[in-house]
Amino acid sequence: MIADRRFPVRLDLERGTLELSHGSGGRAMAQLISELFQRHLDDELLLQGNDQALFQPPPGRLVMSTDGHVISPLFFPGGDIGSLAVHGTVNDVAMAGARPLYLAVGFILEEGFPLADLARIVESLARAAKAAGVAVVTGDTKVVERGKGDGVFITTTGIGVVPDGITISGDQARPNDRILVSGWIGDHGVAILSQRENLGFETQIQSDSAALHTLVASMIATVPDLHCLRDPTRGGLATTLNELAHQSGVGMQIRETDIPIRSEVAAACELLGLDPLYVANEGKLVAICPPEQATRLLAAMRAHPLGVDASIIGEVVEDPQHFVQMETGFGGSRILDWLVGEQLPRIC
Amino acid sequence: MIADRRFPVRLDLERGTLELSHGSGGRAMAQLISELFQRHLDDELLLQGNDQALFQPPPGRLVMSTDGHVISPLFFPGGDIGSLAVHGTVNDVAMAGARPLYLAVGFILEEGFPLADLARIVESLARAAKAAGVAVVTGDTKVVERGKGDGVFITTTGIGVVPDGITISGDQARPNDRILVSGWIGDHGVAILSQRENLGFETQIQSDSAALHTLVASMIATVPDLHCLRDPTRGGLATTLNELAHQSGVGMQIRETDIPIRSEVAAACELLGLDPLYVANEGKLVAICPPEQATRLLAAMRAHPLGVDASIIGEVVEDPQHFVQMETGFGGSRILDWLVGEQLPRIC
């Protein structure tokens, strides 16, 4: 980077901490942007230094999605708030069948936060965006007083383009449709909680945080008339199924034995008093498709690295009450309700 | 609103407070969205209940901008964090000459915050968006523990469409261009600080918070070859001019006597030890245009309710150092530097 006469003394990225002036709009903020953010985020539009990004989107319908990230701790096995802030929004965009294109990033930072940690987070965010092929085109930074925030909050907003002929929405599930999940359920929430509670499990469980848009692309290439896609984040698989049932005005019947749950995750949940079906995921999706397409869809998912453990877990049924019912491993049946209360605060 | 069997007991919007479960992704969050947010925010796309909004944008280049809002206090003379969160992002979109279309809204809320205050803020946000003609199409809500936030933070992201033939950017200022401001400078910052410090000035100074896109539309209709537009928010007029000088690689020469500052604002700044040129505005813009267009541009601005006090305040000059110089009221000259340090934390 070339020297900038505005900043005679370089930021101390090893021992420095955030000050309120870094959110002032003045010289200190310009320096933070120049020496920390732009070191990792170097999209041409961002470097122009305008308060907005200008671009010509490809033709077609667009989707827009926004997600605030307040996860605690900021760094966890399998990721950090930077990569999560990319994956979370890329996935919400992808769940409409869209190809993610542009990302806007808003930071709300706390005075006193170490610049070295911020740099790690920004670097991770930039790496995740590059890996996902999305351009970080615009951003914003605010700094609040010590004790008025919690280190780093990141709100990302994504735009993507939807291929012609694709209509995927939570209200499209129809009786007799098949319900699939793309892999192991509960990893993210258990990884975060283990870290937070300092639980020393023998095998460390990693967050599944990942960008799912390439999986989605190969799914819609195989089965263009996919009905629903949703990533079961906060509230877990059970809540996501209830949302979809409510939105589509249907019921669901799923089979416990077909839901992929790692034995370590099941064991950790038992220890922690959690139900894995309500634990957040950050790299999984639920798909609903016409029955005659389910086998092909499953094969397409399993052929993708992020879907190798995919499974057909049940069917959509008619039910004016919109219940999600589960056949348990013992042959019984129970109703999977919405998550009630707060199982795991600040999981994303 | 029709009764929803998922929520047998209605939210208490008079005496209730936010709980962590309202950010859980589960039933309590669904209820908060249904009974509080959707009561005011009723765009068709938002009501669909997907994690993303799908739309067909009009043809043309798009702009995207994001802004976090952390203003304290949340309610102030002339507005609140809800209306400000709309105006701030609408203006950033408009400063590319664009017509704002869609808004995404991300809330980061603190446990214990009164639901009645949240409802006021959401109502104000919805009203400001309707007045500005932008659709709130998607959103997100997170809740952090008491003491880990500060009531309400709102990050808004806007998308707008730029008319053909318009290229407005901070790097377009050319020597001999004229520099204009759209009206009184410093109102917002002084209004916030007066409220914060409980200063009882005789005449209450109101924030100028406003959506400037219709002013911009009439400006570009009159002068399509506008070079730069920027709203002088954090860091104030002086910092905005420095940003534009730096980005365009030019200097600037402005005249103090031509900068519109209300006498009450000047007096309050003197009392508070502030320089009004560094105080934030939320309903003003700086415009730079070719010299031969300046009079017509000024007339167009003054013909609009939000530009009646517009003024030509100076010229762009050649200067390899990119200094902003000001001829003072006494005929002297001083360099207006970037804002150094933090004059007014959490002003927007």
Side-chain angles (χ1 to χ4, degrees):
Chain A
M1 192 170 10
I2 57 160
D4 190 320
R5 75 155 182 83
R6 293 174 296 167
F7 319 126
V9 179
R10 294 284 294 266
L11 271 185
D12 183 349
L13 292 179
E14 281 176 37
R15 286 169 304 275
T17 57
L18 271 172
E19 299 167 18
L20 285 174
S21 63
H22 288 124
S24 65
R27 189 190 291 270
M29 193 171 92
Q31 184 170 24
L32 183 75
I33 291 170
S34 167
E35 294 181 12
L36 195 156
F37 286 101
Q38 294 184 346
R39 193 167 154 187
H40 304 293
L41 298 167
D42 54 2
D43 188 86
E44 197 189 326
L45 288 171
L46 191 74
L47 294 182
Q48 283 176 2
N50 286 324
D51 290 337
Q52 69 291 116
L54 175 84
F55 47 79
Q56 175 69 57
R61 294 161 301 158
L62 298 183
V63 289
M64 180 183 200
S65 188
T66 198
D67 238 338
H69 297 85
V70 298
I71 194 163
S72 172
L74 297 171
F75 302 95
F76 50 84
D80 56 60
I81 191 171
S83 53
L84 184 72
V86 171
H87 297 157
T89 292
V90 160
N91 290 348
D92 279 344
V93 167
M95 294 306 130
R99 180 164 59 90
L101 299 168
Y102 311 107
L103 212 56
V105 181
F107 290 89
I108 296 177
L109 307 171
E110 186 189 8
E111 181 189 16
F113 189 73
L115 292 180
D117 287 347
L118 180 60
R120 261 177 82 192
I121 289 167
V122 173
E123 186 182 359
S124 167
L125 185 151
R127 202 183 317 115
K130 279 210 177 78
V134 293
V136 177
V137 294
T138 191
D140 178 64
T141 305
K142 294 291 187 303
V143 182
V144 297
E145 307 92 323
R146 212 180 283 264
K148 301 293 187 183
D150 195 17
V152 177
F153 300 148
I154 306 178
T155 300
T156 46
T157 308
I159 295 180
V161 61
V162 185
D164 283 344
I166 299 296
T167 303
I168 297 171
S169 172
D171 60 3
Q172 300 289 308
R174 297 287 170 265
N176 210 26
D177 279 357
R178 295 300 185 268
I179 305 165
L180 297 87
V181 295
S182 62
W184 306 107
I185 288 299
D187 295 9
H188 176 74
V190 168
I192 301 307
L193 202 67
S194 309
Q195 164 103 346
R196 214 185 271 172
E197 308 283 316
N198 241 320
L199 301 178
F201 292 119
E202 254 177 62
T203 28
Q204 193 187 50
I205 297 158
Q206 302 265 324
S207 165
D208 60 349
S209 179
L212 295 169
H213 59 298
T214 59
L215 172 61
V216 169
S218 65
M219 289 166 70
I220 60 179
T222 309
V223 178
D225 56 341
L226 256 180
H227 287 171
C228 311
L229 285 175
R230 188 157 298 175
D231 49 342
T233 56
R234 285 181 289 177
L237 177 65
T239 303
T240 293
L241 294 177
N242 271 282
E243 285 172 15
L244 296 171
H246 178 78
Q247 234 180 303
S248 291
V250 296
M252 294 186 184
Q253 182 69 51
I254 64 169
R255 293 172 298 275
E256 186 170 27
T257 49
D258 288 332
I259 301 173
I261 300 176
R262 293 181 202 277
S263 55
E264 311 94 276
V265 169
C269 281
E270 196 144 326
L271 188 75
L272 295 162
L274 296 174
D275 184 337
L277 300 181
Y278 291 89
V279 171
N281 311 276
E282 291 291 344
K284 297 298 174 329
L285 58 80
V286 172
I288 298 180
C289 73
E292 63 278 12
Q293 308 279 3
T295 317
R296 291 180 62 218
L297 184 61
L298 183 67
M301 291 167 79
R302 288 188 172 166
H304 189 282
L306 292 171
V308 284
D309 302 301
S311 172
I312 300 175
I313 62 166
E315 291 84 43
V316 177
V317 296
E318 278 190 62
D319 179 354
Q321 302 264 53
H322 316 153
F323 283 133
V324 177
Q325 308 223 36
M326 183 168 76
E327 187 189 315
T328 66
F330 307 104
S333 178
R334 71 166 170 124
I335 288 177
L336 282 188
D337 203 353
W338 295 68
L339 172 64
V340 176
E342 174 57 276
Q343 206 182 23
L344 291 170
R346 299 182 59 187
I347 203 69
C348 63
Chain B
M1 192 168 10
I2 55 158
D4 189 317
R5 75 154 182 83
R6 294 175 296 168
F7 318 127
V9 180
R10 293 285 293 266
L11 271 186
D12 182 349
L13 292 179
E14 281 175 37
R15 286 168 305 274
T17 59
L18 271 170
E19 297 168 17
L20 285 174
S21 63
H22 289 125
S24 65
R27 188 189 292 267
M29 192 171 93
Q31 184 171 24
L32 183 75
I33 291 171
S34 166
E35 295 182 12
L36 195 156
F37 286 101
Q38 294 184 347
R39 192 167 156 188
H40 305 293
L41 297 167
D42 55 1
D43 188 86
E44 196 190 326
L45 287 171
L46 191 74
L47 294 183
Q48 282 176 2
N50 285 324
D51 289 336
Q52 70 290 117
L54 176 84
F55 47 79
Q56 175 70 57
R61 294 161 302 158
L62 299 183
V63 289
M64 180 184 201
S65 187
T66 198
D67 238 337
H69 297 85
V70 298
I71 195 164
S72 172
L74 297 170
F75 302 94
F76 51 83
D80 56 58
I81 193 171
S83 53
L84 185 72
V86 171
H87 298 157
T89 292
V90 161
N91 289 348
D92 280 345
V93 166
M95 293 307 129
R99 181 164 59 90
L101 300 168
Y102 311 107
L103 212 56
V105 181
F107 290 89
I108 297 178
L109 307 171
E110 186 189 8
E111 180 189 15
F113 189 74
L115 292 180
D117 286 348
L118 180 60
R120 262 178 81 192
I121 289 168
V122 173
E123 186 182 0
S124 167
L125 185 151
R127 202 183 317 117
K130 280 210 176 80
V134 293
V136 176
V137 294
T138 190
D140 179 62
T141 304
K142 295 290 187 303
V143 182
V144 297
E145 307 92 322
R146 213 180 282 262
K148 300 293 188 185
D150 195 18
V152 176
F153 300 148
I154 306 179
T155 299
T156 46
T157 307
I159 294 180
V161 62
V162 184
D164 283 344
I166 300 296
T167 305
I168 297 170
S169 172
D171 60 3
Q172 300 289 307
R174 298 288 170 265
N176 211 26
D177 278 357
R178 296 298 186 269
I179 305 165
L180 297 88
V181 295
S182 62
W184 307 106
I185 288 299
D187 295 8
H188 176 75
V190 168
I192 301 308
L193 202 66
S194 309
Q195 164 104 348
R196 214 185 270 172
E197 308 284 317
N198 241 320
L199 300 178
F201 292 118
E202 255 177 63
T203 28
Q204 193 186 50
I205 296 158
Q206 301 266 324
S207 166
D208 59 348
S209 180
L212 295 169
H213 60 297
T214 59
L215 171 62
V216 169
S218 65
M219 289 167 70
I220 60 178
T222 309
V223 178
D225 56 341
L226 257 180
H227 287 171
C228 311
L229 284 175
R230 189 158 298 174
D231 50 341
T233 55
R234 285 181 290 177
L237 177 65
T239 303
T240 293
L241 294 177
N242 271 282
E243 285 173 15
L244 295 172
H246 178 79
Q247 233 180 305
S248 291
V250 296
M252 293 185 184
Q253 183 69 52
I254 63 169
R255 291 172 301 274
E256 187 171 27
T257 49
D258 289 332
I259 301 173
I261 300 176
R262 294 181 204 277
S263 55
E264 310 93 278
V265 169
C269 281
E270 196 145 326
L271 188 77
L272 296 161
L274 296 174
D275 183 337
L277 300 180
Y278 291 89
V279 171
N281 311 277
E282 291 291 343
K284 296 299 171 333
L285 58 80
V286 172
I288 298 181
C289 73
E292 62 278 10
Q293 309 279 4
T295 317
R296 291 180 62 218
L297 184 60
L298 183 67
M301 290 167 80
R302 288 187 171 166
H304 189 283
L306 292 171
V308 283
D309 302 300
S311 171
I312 300 176
I313 63 167
E315 292 83 44
V316 178
V317 295
E318 278 191 60
D319 180 353
Q321 302 264 53
H322 315 153
F323 283 134
V324 177
Q325 307 222 36
M326 183 170 75
E327 188 188 314
T328 65
F330 307 105
S333 177
R334 72 166 170 122
I335 289 175
L336 282 188
D337 203 353
W338 295 67
L339 172 65
V340 176
E342 174 56 276
Q343 206 182 21
L344 291 171
R346 300 184 58 190
I347 203 68
C348 61

